């Protein structure tokens, strides 16, 4: 569902509409980069059009971008022909011990509740020991979440709290407490966290 929407709708003018980098995203990314050694390899998971690659490359790091949307990857490749891109889902990625850092920015809301730990484990496995992960969790109004749940149930959908189904789209907004439990279970340590620009930001480390 998300793949088709990004291929056919959002990729067309993504940079024009959403190309600006928010202050908090930039500051978390800078902190993330400051922890990494020079010339390291970073995975941008669900990279979209490569919005953050200029900043990463300026920091003398190499970037590999993965995404399930071919059209988003084409846009990234047009801007950064020398960067490697791979069409694969967060759920299917199978890198092992390969990256000093991973970012997954403004994308986890597309992941189903039952896939969250799978994706976090995939990040964990892809990181080298003591590697860092920066990811965001989108936030929405509690009232809207409750209404979406009631409406979903009324429509007979097998949804759980936090899931929102809207004109052909889908998002899942897990409680931040739950995200912290998952991170702990998988083996990540939270280094820094913060709430701003409509997202909860996590900078975590593989122990
Ligand atoms: C809002 S865009 C964010 C892109 C980029 N990270 C940024 O911050 O500009 C969300 C991206 O996540 C990708 N995506 C959504 N679900 C995915 C999944 N399960 N596996 C891989 N990519 C996914 C979409 O194709 C899209 O490119």
């Amino acid at each position: 569902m998300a793949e088709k929407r990004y291929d056919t709708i959002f990729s067309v003018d993504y940079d024009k509409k959403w190309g600006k980098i928010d202050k908090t995203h930039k500051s978390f990314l800078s902190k993330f980069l400051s922890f990494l050694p020079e010339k390291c390899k970073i995975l941008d998971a669900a990279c979209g059009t490569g919005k953050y690659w200029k900043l990463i490359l300026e920091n003398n790091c190499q970037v590999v971008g993965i995404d399930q949307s071919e059209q988003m990857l084409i846009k990234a490749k047009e801007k950064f022909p020398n960067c490697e891109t791979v069409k694969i889902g967060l759920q299917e990625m199978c890198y092992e011990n390969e990256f000093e850092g991973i970012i997954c920015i403004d994308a986890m809301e597309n992941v189903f509740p039952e896939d969250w730990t799978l994706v976090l484990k995939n990040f964990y496995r892809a990181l080298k020991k003591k590697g860092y992960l920066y990811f965001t969790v989108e936030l929405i109004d509690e009232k809207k979440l409750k209404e979406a749940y009631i409406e979903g149930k009324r429509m007979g959908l097998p949804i759980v709290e936090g899931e929102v189904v809207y004109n052909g789209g889908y998002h899942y907004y897990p409680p931040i407490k739950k995200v912290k439990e998952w991170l702990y279970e998988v083996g990540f340590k939270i280094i820094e966290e913060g709430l701003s620009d409509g997202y909860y930001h996590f900078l975590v480390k593989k122990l």
Side-chain angles (χ1 to χ4, degrees):
M1 195 194 301
E3 181 176 346
K4 193 165 172 212
R5 283 167 70 78
Y6 275 95
D7 271 343
T8 58
I9 307 171
F10 304 125
S11 61
V12 180
D13 51 4
Y14 186 85
D15 283 346
K16 210 166 147 199
K17 282 191 175 150
W18 296 287
K20 195 174 157 281
I21 298 176
D22 289 327
K23 214 171 131 211
T24 318
H25 287 72
K26 192 170 181 181
S27 121
F28 265 88
L29 184 72
S30 300
K31 177 136 277 177
F32 162 83
L33 289 170
S34 76
F35 287 133
L36 302 181
E38 275 220 3
K39 299 200 171 123
C40 68
K41 201 168 157 193
I42 295 175
L43 177 70
D44 186 354
C47 63
T49 61
K51 181 166 156 180
Y52 298 92
W53 294 4
K54 188 170 175 288
L55 292 172
I56 292 175
L57 296 172
E58 279 170 3
N59 218 59
N60 290 324
C61 294
Q62 192 189 330
V63 63
V64 175
I66 65 162
D67 202 286
Q68 67 181 7
S69 159
E70 188 155 17
Q71 292 307 315
M72 293 294 271
L73 289 176
I74 287 173
K75 299 276 178 195
K77 199 74 179 169
E78 277 168 11
K79 293 189 287 178
F80 303 96
N82 296 328
C83 294
E84 183 185 341
T85 54
V86 183
K87 179 180 157 27
I88 193 161
L90 298 170
Q91 290 85 341
E92 291 83 42
M93 57 174 264
C94 53
Y95 297 103
E96 235 173 90
N97 202 24
E98 207 167 316
F99 301 94
E100 279 88 4
I102 298 179
I103 59 173
C104 182
I105 302 181
D106 304 356
M108 286 299 285
E109 57 274 14
N110 296 291
V111 173
F112 298 123
E114 60 273 25
D115 286 348
W116 259 77
T117 46
L118 166 71
V119 171
L120 289 177
K121 280 180 188 165
N122 286 350
F123 291 156
Y124 191 89
R125 196 183 51 243
L127 278 173
K128 290 185 178 168
K129 204 165 175 228
K130 299 191 190 305
Y132 288 87
L133 163 69
Y134 164 44
F135 72 102
T136 59
V137 182
E138 192 178 0
L139 302 167
I140 69 162
D141 184 49
E142 281 294 322
K143 191 165 161 261
K144 280 195 188 142
L145 265 191
K146 284 214 168 72
E147 283 167 7
Y149 179 68
I150 292 166
E151 179 59 9
K153 281 283 176 202
R154 194 193 60 77
M155 287 160 71
L157 299 174
I159 64 168
V160 299
E161 281 186 51
E163 289 187 297
V164 177
V165 183
Y166 60 94
N167 9 302
Y170 169 92
H171 276 167
Y172 171 55
Y173 303 91
I176 296 304
K177 189 169 167 274
K178 189 79 212 155
V179 177
K180 290 184 185 182
E181 282 169 20
W182 285 327
L183 284 168
Y184 179 74
E185 268 168 42
V186 173
F188 282 114
K189 180 177 183 229
I190 299 174
I191 301 297
E192 195 153 328
E193 55 190 303
L195 190 165
S196 192
D197 293 327
Y199 287 88
Y200 204 90
H201 302 254
F202 280 106
L203 178 52
V204 303
K205 185 176 184 180
K206 173 174 178 169
L207 295 178

